[in-house]
Amino acid sequence: MQQNLSAEQRKRIEEHLAKVKASKQAPKAPKPEPRGWIDSDDPLIDELETMLRQLIVHYEQLHSLAKLHLEAIRRADVDQLSTCIAQENGIIQKVAEIEKRRLHVVGDIADVLGSPEETQTTMSWIAERVRGEKGGRLAGMARRLRAVIGEMTEVNNAARSAADTLAKHMDGLMRSVARELNHAKTYSNRGRVDAGPAVVSALDISS
């Protein structure tokens, strides 16, 4: 096969093979050496601060809605409960989008600082390595975010407890109704109210 190739064709093949070999042997660009600090004016830090501020606002909103949610359960206010759930779902979607971006930014900052935790690197760990006043500000924002999430969680736990209590109360009422209907043999095994025999009562109302 090679005997049929012209000198020009063989030259092109050899040049191509040489380029492939050179590309394989070329050293890859090394990653920058991790540092133990990052400047406060780094764009990654600016973006992280913006996202923390947004998360604090959204979780404060969720905390307020959780209180309204709890009151709606205690009052058995179905309309208010539906409104709260719709608003909560909208905010949760926004939080999820911010969290996706935050993980990406934290991963990039972790590469700069050499954190072995990568995307799971904590805000406090990063804040300690940010030069200038912004490091302290980030640490304060991280503490505030943890606090408001804790407050919201407490209210949500109370709401779940109230919902369980309400469900048990309603179940008790339904059982009471079932017993009353069953006294007249009008409550079938399939949960339907059927016509039954007259109930014997001590009070005569026929005359």
Side-chain angles (χ1 to χ4, degrees):
M1 179 67 70
Q2 291 183 350
Q3 294 177 353
N4 297 328
L5 295 175
S6 66
E8 183 65 24
Q9 288 174 325
R10 284 198 298 270
K11 182 180 179 181
R12 290 178 180 176
I13 291 174
E14 289 171 358
E15 289 176 350
H16 175 72
L17 292 175
K19 289 181 180 178
V20 171
K21 184 178 180 180
S23 65
K24 290 182 178 179
Q25 293 176 347
K28 295 181 179 180
K31 287 185 177 182
E33 288 294 325
R35 308 192 301 260
W37 50 267
I38 187 169
D39 288 324
S40 61
D41 59 353
D42 191 291
L44 290 173
I45 296 302
D46 289 338
E47 189 172 358
L48 180 61
E49 183 179 18
T50 297
M51 287 187 290
L52 284 177
R53 190 175 289 110
Q54 291 172 341
L55 286 172
I56 289 172
V57 170
H58 289 322
Y59 275 107
E60 286 176 341
Q61 292 172 337
L62 287 173
H63 182 209
S64 298
L65 284 171
K67 293 178 180 178
L68 294 175
H69 193 140
L70 175 58
E71 288 303 314
I73 291 174
R74 288 173 172 169
R75 297 195 309 269
D77 188 336
V78 177
D79 291 337
Q80 180 65 36
L81 190 59
S82 298
T83 300
C84 286
I85 291 173
Q87 293 177 347
E88 287 168 341
N89 287 340
I91 296 174
I92 289 171
Q93 290 296 323
K94 295 179 182 178
V95 169
E97 290 300 319
I98 296 172
E99 277 297 319
K100 290 179 184 178
R101 301 197 331 261
R102 187 190 68 80
L103 287 175
H104 179 74
V105 170
V106 167
D108 288 344
I109 294 174
D111 287 342
V112 173
L113 297 176
S115 170
E117 299 298 325
E118 299 180 346
T119 60
Q120 300 305 312
T121 301
T122 64
M123 293 297 102
S124 57
W125 190 92
I126 292 174
E128 290 173 357
R129 290 159 177 80
V130 178
R131 286 178 168 177
E133 296 180 356
K134 190 172 288 187
R137 191 159 67 241
L138 285 174
M141 294 173 70
R143 287 193 297 270
R144 174 55 186 157
L145 182 59
R146 285 195 297 270
V148 72
I149 290 176
E151 293 167 0
M152 181 197 69
T153 301
E154 288 183 5
V155 178
N156 281 338
N157 289 339
R160 278 193 290 270
S161 177
D164 290 341
T165 300
L166 179 61
K168 290 176 182 177
H169 175 68
M170 295 302 296
D171 183 62
L173 288 177
M174 293 301 296
R175 290 178 183 274
S176 296
V177 171
R179 283 195 297 269
E180 290 299 323
L181 292 174
N182 204 39
H183 173 62
K185 303 298 183 183
T186 58
Y187 199 70
S188 71
N189 293 331
R190 289 173 293 180
R192 297 187 310 188
V193 178
D194 297 329
V199 178
V200 177
S201 174
L203 180 62
D204 186 1
I205 59 172
S206 58
S207 58

